[in-house]
Amino acid sequence: MTQPYHHGNLRQALLERATEILSEKGVEGLSLRGLARDLGVSHAAPLRHFSTKAELLNAIALEGVCSLIAATKKADAQTPGTARLRAIMLAYVNWAIANTELHHVLRNPDVMRHASDDLTTLLASFAARQKAEIRAAQDAGWRADEDPDVLFLHLVSLTAGTAIVSTEEVYQQRVPLPKRQSNIEDSIDLFVG
Amino acid sequence: MTQPYHHGNLRQALLERATEILSEKGVEGLSLRGLARDLGVSHAAPLRHFSTKAELLNAIALEGVCSLIAATKKADAQTPGTARLRAIMLAYVNWAIANTELHHVLRNPDVMRHASDDLTTLLASFAARQKAEIRAAQDAGWRADEDPDVLFLHLVSLTAGTAIVSTEEVYQQRVPLPKRQSNIEDSIDLFVG
DNA sequence: GCATTTATGTAGTCAATGACAACATTGCGA
DNA sequence: TCGCAATGTTGTCATTGACTACATAAATGC
């Protein structure tokens, strides 16, 4: 019995294997031909699904954003206000910690440089949602006298920054995990608290 | 008159041209052979100075960190306390805005993945200095009751995050520059107060 | 059912690249 | 000044991204 001519679900397999490679070797260590080898298909097969390497990376980034958005959506259970802001920010940071490599892809200038319209649109809508949360929290009385734009910038910066500091090796201090986790929560509380 | 056999200062020329390329095409668009062409030397000449592409990127990152440290050093003129913290954080963010591509190199996981000991040591000492500033500010009465580790995490996250939000195109809102600058300052003031 | 169209995979090829080795030229110090 | 180390060149190789022509499977319409 020989290999079937068609792989079955090459597109999905490519995305999954690519994500594995990314966490091992990063964007530069990822090659379309290497993926083809790993999956036992011909060297040009991946091109049927992603016509360039950039397109593959973009698809992974898209997957990442969807996953991130889903993760933060759960925080909607909280009523608007400080608890909800805290939940949203923590959801983001925890998602980044749990999906380090996807997070790195989203942070990689070489990937985002070629971001598709889909991707940028999704990111923009994500930002809009965060902005709306700020407004809602202010309506509920939180920091009502501050400029919403400043609060928005602060929230986005702090969230992105905490995610980066929490996932990039360079920043990893020799701090035990429980302590680190509680530091993250306390740090966020400095803002929302 | 023919070209001299030796370039004269190829190493420096490589670093400069590479930085230009990086801001145009990013890490993936940078090639040792392309640099050689641009500088009119043979395709293998760059290898005399940087035996791999990663080594070149590391050298650029090293240059970047030195430049960043120098930029933040000026804030030392302020006396320890909130004004000094604010000055340090603003110096970082403004450096990132003025040196976007160097900042992107420092933020690029593919570069930092191969960071040399020099580079990580320098980054660690930079972090230590920030930690010391926190302590000094607390000694001067600022947020004296907070956990220094939490304040440190907060400062690093907020600084890195603001720099990223201020330099990555994805985040660039249609906000006029003066307004953006004042937002940055106000956002940082939310923390250093 | 069957033919035609579309999706998917293969084989072959090309230019660009990173990396290495062998050799050439220059300049500096003993 | 002589020799050696630094620097640059030429030649080469495997890998890669990307393209083309072709093969096969699958879906669709009749």
Side-chain angles (χ1 to χ4, degrees):
Chain A
M1 145 171 194
T2 88
Q3 297 286 344
Y5 190 88
H6 283 99
H7 175 280
N9 198 355
L10 183 54
R11 184 189 164 91
Q12 190 56 32
L14 284 167
L15 288 172
E16 288 170 8
R17 181 64 186 142
T19 305
E20 286 177 27
I21 299 285
L22 283 174
S23 47
E24 293 166 22
K25 308 194 221 165
V27 173
E28 290 212 283
L30 178 71
S31 86
L32 295 174
R33 294 175 94 112
L35 286 176
R37 271 193 302 275
D38 291 354
L39 300 176
V41 292
S42 77
H43 65 93
L47 298 182
R48 289 292 167 196
H49 301 275
F50 307 101
S51 62
T52 73
K53 182 178 171 181
E55 204 170 292
L56 169 63
L57 287 169
N58 198 81
I60 292 175
L62 208 57
E63 233 185 15
V65 179
C66 290
S67 160
L68 169 60
I69 288 179
T72 57
K73 269 269 168 66
K74 290 176 190 157
D76 286 2
Q78 307 278 340
T79 55
T82 60
R84 182 152 163 173
L85 284 183
R86 177 190 294 111
I88 290 172
M89 295 178 78
L90 272 176
Y92 186 119
V93 175
N94 285 330
W95 176 86
I97 291 172
N99 302 274
T100 303
E101 205 46 46
L102 280 181
H103 181 243
H104 280 178
V105 172
L106 290 180
R107 288 267 68 77
N108 192 308
D110 285 322
V111 176
M112 301 312 289
R113 175 185 298 272
H114 306 110
S116 66
D117 287 349
D118 281 9
L119 185 51
T120 53
T121 301
L122 216 51
L123 284 170
S125 79
F126 183 56
R129 214 160 61 82
Q130 287 176 308
K131 208 160 199 168
E133 293 295 346
I134 291 276
R135 232 185 328 262
Q138 285 192 292
D139 288 346
W142 174 78
R143 291 185 187 269
D145 52 337
E146 300 279 359
D147 181 342
D149 286 341
V150 171
L151 291 177
F152 174 67
L153 171 63
H154 198 92
L155 180 140
V156 173
S157 300
L158 184 57
T159 310
T162 307
I164 284 161
V165 171
S166 303
T167 55
E168 287 197 8
E169 287 186 27
V170 184
Y171 284 112
Q172 294 315 324
Q173 322 289 328
R174 293 182 206 85
V175 177
L177 277 178
K179 167 90 166 149
R180 198 185 302 163
Q181 181 66 29
S182 102
N183 279 357
I184 289 173
E185 293 174 14
D186 290 347
S187 167
I188 288 176
D189 279 344
L190 284 183
F191 172 53
V192 302
Chain B
M1 150 171 192
T2 89
Q3 296 290 339
Y5 190 89
H6 283 100
H7 175 281
N9 197 354
L10 184 55
R11 185 189 162 91
Q12 190 56 32
L14 284 167
L15 289 172
E16 287 169 10
R17 181 66 186 140
T19 305
E20 286 176 27
I21 299 285
L22 283 174
S23 49
E24 293 166 20
K25 309 195 224 165
V27 174
E28 291 211 282
L30 178 70
S31 84
L32 295 175
R33 293 175 95 111
L35 287 177
R37 271 193 302 275
D38 291 354
L39 300 176
V41 292
S42 77
H43 65 92
L47 298 182
R48 289 292 165 196
H49 301 274
F50 308 101
S51 62
T52 72
K53 181 178 170 181
E55 206 170 290
L56 169 63
L57 285 170
N58 198 81
I60 291 175
L62 208 57
E63 232 186 14
V65 179
C66 291
S67 160
L68 170 60
I69 288 180
T72 57
K73 269 268 168 64
K74 291 177 189 157
D76 285 2
Q78 308 279 340
T79 55
T82 59
R84 183 153 163 171
L85 284 183
R86 179 190 292 112
I88 290 173
M89 295 177 78
L90 271 177
Y92 186 119
V93 175
N94 285 330
W95 176 87
I97 292 173
N99 303 273
T100 303
E101 205 47 46
L102 279 181
H103 180 245
H104 280 177
V105 171
L106 290 180
R107 287 267 69 74
N108 193 309
D110 285 321
V111 175
M112 301 313 288
R113 175 184 298 272
H114 307 109
S116 67
D117 287 350
D118 282 8
L119 185 50
T120 53
T121 302
L122 214 51
L123 283 170
S125 78
F126 182 56
R129 214 160 61 82
Q130 287 177 308
K131 208 161 197 165
E133 293 295 345
I134 291 276
R135 231 186 330 263
Q138 285 192 294
D139 289 346
W142 174 78
R143 291 186 188 269
D145 51 337
E146 300 278 359
D147 181 341
D149 287 342
V150 172
L151 291 177
F152 173 66
L153 172 63
H154 197 92
L155 180 140
V156 173
S157 299
L158 184 56
T159 310
T162 307
I164 284 161
V165 172
S166 303
T167 56
E168 287 198 9
E169 287 188 25
V170 184
Y171 284 112
Q172 293 317 324
Q173 322 290 327
R174 295 181 206 86
V175 176
L177 278 178
K179 165 90 166 151
R180 200 186 301 164
Q181 181 66 29
S182 103
N183 279 357
I184 290 172
E185 294 174 14
D186 290 348
S187 167
I188 288 175
D189 279 343
L190 283 183
F191 172 54
V192 302

